[in-house]
Amino acid sequence: MATAVAVVDRLLRRLASDARRSQLPSDIDQHVARVRRTLSRLRDVLVSVERYFWVRTEVQDWMTMINQIVHDMENLLDEFEDQNDIEPQRSGCITKATSLCSPCPIFLYSTRVNRMKTIRNRLDLLVRNSVVFGMMQQQPRCYREQTDIQEESYRVAIVGRDGDKTKIKELILQNDAETLSIIPIVGLVGLGKTTLARLIFYDQGEEWNLDLRIWIDLNGTFDLRKIAADIISQANERKEEGPSVVNSSFEIHENLQLLKNRLQETLHGKRCLIVLDGLCSTDKRQLDELKEMLRCTNMWIKVLVTTYSEITAELMHTFRPYKLLPLSEDDCWTIFSENAFEGGSGVNARLQIIGKHIAKRCDGVPALAHFLGSIVHNKVMCVWLAARDEPLWKLEETFSRKAKVFFSLTQIYYDMPSALKLCFLYLSIFPKGSVIDKEKLIRQWIALDMVGSKHETLPPYVHGEMYIQDLLSIHFLQVTKKYSAIGMENRTTPTTLCMHNFVHDFARHLACNDIIILDDREMNGNAKNLSFHYALLTYYKGQSTLSSSLLSKTRALHFLNTEPIKLHEEAFELLKHLRVLNLSKSCIGKIPASIGHLKYLRYLDISGLKVQTLPSSMSTLIDLEALDLSNTSLKELPSFIGSLEKLKYLNLQGCHIVQNLPSTLGHLQTLEHLRLSCCYDVSELSESLCNLDDLRFFDLSSCTEIPQLPPSFGNLMNLEDLNLSSCLNLKQLPESFGNLYFLRFLNMSNCYELKQLPESLCNLLKLEVLMLRRCRRLQNLPSSFGDIQNLRILDLIGCEALNVIIGMLPTNLEYLNLQQCLKLPTSPNCFNNLTRLKFLNLSQCRPTIDCLESLGYLFNLEYLNLSQNLLAIPVPILRLHKLHTLDLTGCAFEHPSHSVSQMFLDIIHQMAGLKFLLTKDPMIVACLPPYIRCSVGIDENWHITTDELVIPDLTRGSRGLSIAESANLQNRPELRFLKLEWANTSHPDVHGVVEDLDEEVLEKLQPHWSLEHFELAGYSGFAWPTWMMNNMVNLLPNLVSLHLFFLGNCKHLPLLGQLINLRHLHIKDMPNLVNLEMGLSGGPRPFKKLTHLKLEILLNLEELPILSTTDNGNEQFMFPALEELSVLFCPNLMFKPSLPKCVKYVIKNSNLILSCGEPLGPLSSPSPVNIMVTGCRISSSWLDWLESLKTIEKIVIDTCVGDDGEAINYLMLHEIKCTQESSSSKIPNETTNQSSSGTKILHELTNQDGSFKNTGHVMDSSGWQTFGESSLQSSQKKQATTGLGTSIIRKIFPRFNTTWGQSAEPITSSAVSMASMETPPISHQLSRSKMSAQIPGVCSLNLSLKQVQKATQKFSHSLRLSYGEFWTVYKGILPDNQTIVVRRAAQGYAQIAKVDTQVQLLSAINHWSLVKFLCFIDKANEFIMISEYVLNGSLREHLHVLIYPQAHIRNSWILINAY
């Protein structure tokens, strides 16, 4: 109906190509030229007819016939061009003989000539005898008498917009000093933009203080003179005629200048609100002139613009455009019911149910709710059912003569370029609610010749991208979810699009004569004997379905079948004009051989099908340009793939079974887009791939077995986007990598084995985006890295080993993410040169004060993240006038415990641009000015990267299920890190109910298969979800790190051996794990890639095998790649037959671990280098093995006993050993520099996770003493203690005192090595003291449980400081404003905590370096300890060795005051 102009333009564009015309025989070309001339003359007529007369039936029929003629012409041209392509490839005498006479066989040639004559005659006849030309002599009617539903519904649509009104009003009034403020309201047609503007325009609040209110209705037109004249007229409160229209451009300019002068005089000294309703111009010159005209008044003018165009909003705004969102379903119901029932009582219950469904259909569009409510008002039941079920355009034709539901959308459509119209109408082939892949959509447009230019100045794909942006800007398309940081598209996940249902109905309405839906209903109801060009098949009844005459000229066919179907071998024989075939939404097990008959096929999508082979007949599809084989069950890619020489797009993503790629893949010289992501079994790339000269996009993400790229990879010099993320085994890049001169986007995130980058990387001068997050082994950037001056975005999250030299970074950076980069420079002025930065993340980086001071030079900074750091806000931050978001979540500040420092408050109050200060500290929140918010909404998280997600406080029951459903983790392919944390409940429910509910919640939290890091904490279910028990090899193939914490009810483990890429495994506090007969893997499959294994607080676990038996009866090692083994507090655990061999051991309080002989492992396993053992019984055979080691670098043994029960005190560090063997002249040196030596020893006595060994009494970051280890020590039968820890504490704290006056004197380093021989353990000395519940002395308290609950707001999550296996730590505020720290024993650990606390010790210690203990509460199942609140950070922070975990600060560090 409304596509005639567009299809004519498409044909004219094709005929304008001289290259394609030259392929035609001369006599055929004459007919073609005649058709071309006729269509060129007809085009202008079609434009007028479509806009002004399309509602008439005779006009619609005439345009339909034009469409058919054009399509027949295109099909005939296809045949001629195809013959010319095939002819040179033929051989044989018959072919040679016939080719002497004509380019094709004679009988075919004459037939085609006759068809061409027929087409020309049909067109001529249609032009001569049409009534349309007589109609054109009449006055064109715009049909403005047909009212737009948006204009009718403004009064009712006021429902639900109060919040929007308040926000926009605040935006208008917040910057009173601005002379000109322009705020666009932008959104989909029908959302009520005009209505919202009216609400604001007529608001009579006292805060306005306005002199003038002016409303300009632009009605989709732009005339600067008329706008100026209307403003003057309304300002003078009388209707004035604008200047007369004149012919001279000079006179027009002069009149406009006079109007501008008059406008300045009229608005002089006035405070004015102007509404420009319906502005839609996208001409930057016009809009700039309008803004300049308003600005020249030099008055207080606030302008509110309503527009459907995002482009208009971006060009006009001085404030960020306000995006109007759809209404809620309840608001739509209110609007609908007001129109349908007119507020009457006694509403029919059945009608109310139907009405609810109708309101849901509105999808938040108030104008649609008004329309549907109006047509059912006072109507019978069948009308209500039609309003619920029938298409909107049918309702408009049948029930509404005046209001037109699509009127505004139609006006936008007719203003589109003709090619864009075709692209938009094609979208209606997708079912309502479909998610559309942007890349595939553009490829389909190209295959159907919908995009391109007459002179081919730009590639078709570029045109497709432009059309996508055009449709997005007017909300005819929407992005489902764009995962980004500062506007950066996440290339790992393709952009997906969708259509609003209202827009989809409109597209279906326009394309009703072009697209047919083949379902289970009769197909000949309104087919009008047409042949449809696009078809959606939702119901397959057998071969007769595809043989229908309705599909004889179909160019695009989409299957949508949920039922398994089997296609007949001849299924596609009659679809000879098919260009696009999409089988991806069907259940087809085999591709029929007749697919080879589709000689014009350009686009084929069989993604998701369970096909294992491709028919050889596909080799004849020589015109194929796009082939999608993603997520199929193909065993191999056939070699004939190289014969598809026109192929530009090839998608093999998720072909898990494919192992080898054929060398013929390198023959695809025109290939532009190649996606090989998630081909897990592909372990090598052929050199032939480096011959793909035209390749622009290459996706190798999650190809987990590829260790290196081909040496000649740099030959792909046209490559623009390269994705190597999650290539878990990629160890290095070739030196030729620097030849990728046009590379703009490079993603190497999560390449865990990558240690260095080639120096040639600095040759990538056009590189704009570089992602290196979690390249944990990467140590240095290339020395000339600063030469990449086009680099805008650099992401280094989690590069813990990287030496970040800020001075060598490119100075044009706009986005810099250094989260968890632990090696930041300490020199001053390090950020001085990065003046273009807009986004900076220093979370968990431990920045020094000099580093923070240099932030004052980042004048363009908009977002700054300093979370999870100990810091003081530097004064130079006041210079950051553009800063709108400051993240201080989890920071410890240097202000008094009972209030926020005045300096901090002064800094915040002076930062005029600050809108968000993100924090959970209640004291800071209470002091913030009202215009600064402490949290952001989902739509405001534009600055937050989205591949990490922590869901805390999960609960059982409906709340947990609601969280799980809203999280929708299976549809979050961007996630790489996920932590699920269950809330700690003090009172468990009835056995048999809790576990079911928890299990149901966890079942619904199944993540996407792309997940790489998973932490599960506090889960109380008894069973694992099915996604953790069945087929984990496919459900979580990329999982690299797994942490299972505090799982009190689980008696077994998931089948962890299925996690083929697992490298880190940490299991903690699972008391019901006793006997794992199949080992940690749950079967015979070994952990081939596991490098780090940590087992902690597994009190009842008895033994684990390190060997398994293969299917052929051979034994294999379970941990062949193990590098580090940590076993902490596992008193009953033994490895059978011995410990697995690895580089580093950390063994604590696990008596039976070392009862066997030397460790066992493959011959390739490296020898141990680092061993730390604490609180264990060590067998003599293991000691003999220790002494025989020659590769050892560090051994620390503390509080251990031998077979005879005697203490073993063994400290062998290379530095100390050398000191003992060398002359004593070096000892005074070490004694003088006590701080340095103390730091060294302290570092040696810490765990991998940063916690101290139990060598003394250690305080956590909130001031609480950590005794988790000692309590478990006391449960073992034989433990020996030493004074080593006391000696170290004395060395670091020479002024350490106890209440009975003993002091610890400084000692030399030689004394440290023999400390246990000289000093009795301090714990032995302090254990003689007694202590009551109320502690006498300074600052003692006597608090009840209720008082503590009140102080912590009932143990609110917002006041939680940290948590561990035994304790959860909260901040509390007493009625006198004194701040305290409340340490609450975890559920089930209260009895252990009572023994663990050793309150006598705490009461005895009184030292300036340690926090004061105040009191404890022991009541029922609660055990709580309370101390003073100290904010100066931990010792490890001040020694610069603090390592933060992902989101929480571990509570195993000594606190000292930072003086």
Side-chain angles (χ1 to χ4, degrees), residues 977-1039:
F977 176 92
L978 174 63
K979 181 173 184 178
L980 303 178
E981 181 184 350
W982 258 253
N984 182 18
T985 55
S986 300
H987 304 287
D989 293 306
V990 180
H991 179 79
V993 177
V994 175
E995 59 269 28
D996 291 340
L997 292 174
D998 269 358
E999 290 159 13
E1000 187 178 358
V1001 172
L1002 187 55
E1003 187 68 52
K1004 291 183 178 296
L1005 287 167
Q1006 178 180 346
H1008 191 267
W1009 51 260
S1010 60
L1011 192 70
E1012 296 179 5
H1013 301 263
F1014 181 42
E1015 291 188 15
L1016 179 63
Y1019 170 64
S1020 59
F1022 284 73
W1024 299 100
T1026 55
W1027 55 270
M1028 291 187 72
M1029 291 301 296
N1030 302 325
N1031 200 23
M1032 286 179 72
V1033 66
N1034 291 323
L1035 296 179
L1036 293 172
N1038 290 349
L1039 201 66

Side-chain angles (χ1 to χ4, degrees), residues 217-240:
D217 186 0
L218 298 174
N219 195 26
T221 61
F222 187 91
D223 186 337
L224 197 60
R225 293 186 304 119
K226 186 177 185 305
I227 294 173
D230 285 350
I231 294 176
I232 295 169
S233 175
Q234 293 187 40
N236 292 329
E237 297 182 347
R238 57 191 177 90
K239 192 72 175 177
E240 290 185 0

